[in-house]
């Protein structure tokens, strides 16, 4: 199975820089997702792996060799799209048999391949149905069986769940990951849906405006985001500005501009007293208490603006000093507050990430456009 390495890859379409200086590796047997807002360069990256377009600068290595030595047909790639790469006028069987038949495989071998892959995707018994009449998930199952029967060792999946309902999506994510892992394939999955990427991937490459900001495991992206954008795009966060007041072996004390003091016990390197910083606080971690009027470290005090049940959690918006707002996703759905309640908010150290104040300004660093 292939390992695919991007080295300083840039792709321009005229004046448009679609991807910029991409350097990362997709390991053999890995399920990697490319996640980012619309227009950030995900599909362009996928199309370069497939050989449908070539980089303007840099190179892509395929098992250590420059990829341009390999014709797209030699890369054993299966491309799966949102809109089902199947022939609607053929039956399920004919769709899956198409690739091996075109390659001139003997009849028995074609039959075995079709059997194997239809079973794998759970489509046994539906061989004679016309693809056009299938449900959306079954169409996608046939699309996947079709590319696998054609000999794909690398699956490139471009928003493959885009046409599926939410409930089906979760089941399909498990199926798809199961197939990739069972066959030891390498998969590159493009999505703008962070929960889908978190559920299905070994690692996720988070992209913004043509650049890849961080390639990491879902857990590391959540707990150790390297940028403000990743902290907000994966899981959503509140951001506050402040100054580092002391540093000891990576443990920081930060005074926010609004006066609160935060001690960050997660080792955070590269900061010195006097540095202007932004702290990111993940929305699901703070704990809300009725106010006791005392002030403490790692706490905010505020007045509840809104507290609303939004399915599985409550969305609480609290007005802090100087009219700053903090939004909390309270999983304790039994706990509710009224507009105007005075509250204290405890922020566990684990929920805090510290970043240098961004050159481009905080609003731009968070922005998805
Ligand atoms: P989406 O999620 O909306 O599909 P994406 O992250 O896949 O977006 P790309 O389709 O890779 O993004 O596009 C990246 C940028 O390159 C966009 O600004 C897009 O308009 C531009 N682009 C892509 N293909 C072409 C092309 N063939 N000619 C000109 N510009 C292009």
């Amino acid at each position: 199975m292939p390992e695919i390495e991007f080295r300083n890859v840039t792709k321009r379409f005229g004046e448009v820089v679609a991807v910029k200086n991409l350097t990362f590796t997709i390991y053999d047997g890995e399920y990697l997702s490319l996640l980012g807002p619309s227009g950030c360069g995900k599909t362009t990256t996928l199309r370069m792996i497939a050989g449908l377009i070539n980089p303007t600068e840099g190179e892509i290595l395929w098992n250590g060799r420059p990829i341009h030595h390999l014709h797209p047909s030699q890369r054993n790639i299966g491309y799966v799209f949102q809109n089902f790469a199947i022939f609607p006028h053929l039956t399920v069987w004919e769709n899956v048999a198409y690739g091996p038949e075109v390659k001139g495989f003997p009849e028995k071998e074609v039959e075995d391949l079709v059997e194997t892959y239809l079973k794998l995707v759970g489509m046994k018994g539906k061989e004679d149905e016309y693809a056009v009449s299938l449900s959306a998930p079954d169409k996608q199952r046939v699309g996947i069986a079709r590319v696998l029967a054609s000999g794909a060792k690398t699956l490139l999946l471009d928003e493959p769940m885009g046409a599926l309902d939410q409930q089906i999506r979760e089941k399909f994510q498990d199926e798809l990951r199961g197939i990739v892992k069972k066959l030891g394939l390498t998969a590159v999955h493009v999505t703008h849906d962070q929960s889908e990427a978190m559920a299905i991937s070994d690692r996720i490459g988070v992209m913004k405006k043509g650049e890849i900001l961080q390639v990491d495991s879902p857990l590391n992206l959540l707990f150790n985001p390297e940028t403000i954008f990743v902290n907000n795009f994966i899981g959503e966060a509140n951001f506050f500005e402040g100054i580092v007041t002391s540093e000891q072996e990576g443990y920081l004390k930060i005074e926010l501009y609004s006066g609160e003091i935060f001690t960050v016990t997660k080792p955070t390197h590269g900061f010195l007293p006097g540095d202007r910083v932004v702290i990111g606080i993940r929305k699901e971690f703070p704990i809300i208490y009725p106010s006791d009027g005392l002030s403490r470290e790692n706490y905010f005090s505020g007045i509840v603006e809104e507290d609303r049940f939004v399915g599985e959690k409550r969305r609480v918006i609290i007005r802090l000093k100087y009219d700053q707002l903090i939004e909390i996703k309270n999983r304790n759905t039994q706990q509710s507050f009224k507009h105007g309640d005075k509250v204290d908010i405890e922020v566990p150290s684990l929920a805090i990430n510290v970043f240098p104040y961004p050159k481009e300004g905080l609003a731009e660093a968070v922005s998805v456009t």
Side-chain angles (χ1 to χ4, degrees), residues 267-287:
T268 308
H269 297 284
F271 295 96
L272 292 171
D275 282 353
R276 186 181 180 192
V277 292
V278 170
I279 64 168
I281 297 176
R282 296 254 314 280
K283 292 184 180 176
E284 65 270 42
F285 281 135
I287 306 160

Side-chain angles (χ1 to χ4, degrees), residues 11-14 16-19 36-45 47 53 158-159 190-192 207 210:
K11 177 68 187 176
R12 289 192 201 91
F13 295 103
V16 178
V17 184
V19 301
S38 183
C40 70
K42 305 179 296 289
T43 299
T44 302
T45 307
R47 295 179 72 214
I53 51 173
D158 198 347
E159 300 277 3
V190 158
T191 179
H192 61 269
M207 297 184 74

Side-chain angles (χ1 to χ4, degrees), residues 10-287:
T10 293
K11 177 68 187 176
R12 289 192 201 91
F13 295 103
E15 296 288 292
V16 178
V17 184
V19 301
K20 218 182 312 181
N21 208 18
L22 296 189
T23 297
F24 70 106
T25 300
I26 304 155
Y27 298 113
D28 177 13
E30 180 171 45
Y31 202 121
L32 183 125
S33 292
L34 295 174
L35 172 69
S38 183
C40 70
K42 305 179 296 289
T43 299
T44 302
T45 307
L46 214 56
R47 295 179 72 214
M48 287 194 284
I49 298 173
L52 301 174
I53 51 173
N54 290 315
T56 314
E57 287 162 27
E59 61 179 356
I60 303 173
L61 305 183
W62 194 266
N63 285 335
R65 296 184 62 215
I67 202 170
H68 59 257
H69 290 304
L70 286 177
H71 185 267
S73 65
Q74 294 173 300
R75 297 179 194 184
N76 289 336
I77 276 170
Y79 218 126
V80 178
F81 303 91
Q82 174 173 344
N83 293 323
F84 323 121
I86 51 173
F87 299 119
H89 59 289
L90 298 185
T91 64
V92 167
W93 177 276
E94 289 163 346
N95 259 288
V96 182
Y98 185 85
E101 275 173 353
V102 167
K103 288 185 174 166
F105 285 17
E107 200 175 322
K108 176 77 179 78
E109 210 171 309
V110 175
E111 273 177 21
D112 288 349
L113 279 171
V114 177
E115 283 266 322
T116 303
Y117 289 114
L118 283 183
K119 194 165 162 212
L120 187 75
V121 300
M123 288 296 287
K124 282 277 290 169
K126 296 189 180 175
E127 290 85 346
D128 297 331
E129 291 184 28
Y130 279 92
V132 69
S133 64
L134 297 172
S135 66
D138 279 354
K139 281 186 182 140
Q140 199 56 294
R141 289 187 180 100
V142 174
I144 291 164
R146 203 170 96 78
V147 297
L148 294 176
S150 299
K153 302 283 181 249
T154 303
L155 278 189
L156 303 182
L157 305 130
D158 198 347
E159 300 277 3
M161 321 273 177
L164 309 186
D165 294 338
Q166 190 53 39
Q167 272 179 328
I168 303 277
R169 278 177 181 223
E170 286 175 17
K171 182 168 175 287
F172 207 81
Q173 285 161 11
D174 288 345
E175 280 183 36
L176 192 52
R177 185 179 160 86
I179 290 169
V180 167
K181 290 295 161 188
K182 187 167 179 185
L183 300 180
L185 307 173
T186 303
V188 190
H189 179 129
V190 158
T191 179
H192 61 269
D193 177 342
Q194 61 106 353
S195 60
E196 180 173 304
M198 298 295 272
I200 208 162
S201 319
D202 296 317
R203 288 190 309 153
I204 301 171
V206 183
M207 297 184 74
K208 179 187 182 185
K209 292 186 179 168
E211 291 182 82
I212 201 146
L213 300 184
Q214 188 171 353
V215 187
D216 224 325
S217 67
L219 268 185
N220 256 341
L221 289 172
L222 270 177
F223 290 105
N224 299 307
E226 288 167 6
T227 54
I228 289 173
F229 181 80
V230 171
N231 194 187
N232 193 47
F233 198 68
I234 306 272
E236 295 183 55
N238 299 277
F239 296 99
F240 299 91
E241 293 179 39
I243 296 276
V244 177
T245 54
S246 71
E247 188 273 344
Q248 218 171 12
E249 292 172 6
Y251 291 77
L252 302 179
K253 199 167 268 236
I254 292 165
E255 181 171 349
L256 299 190
Y257 287 165
S258 43
E260 295 87 351
I261 308 286
F262 281 83
T263 301
V264 184
T265 52
K266 186 162 69 175
T268 308
H269 297 284
F271 295 96
L272 292 171
D275 282 353
R276 186 181 180 192
V277 292
V278 170
I279 64 168
I281 297 176
R282 296 254 314 280
K283 292 184 180 176
E284 65 270 42
F285 281 135
I287 306 160

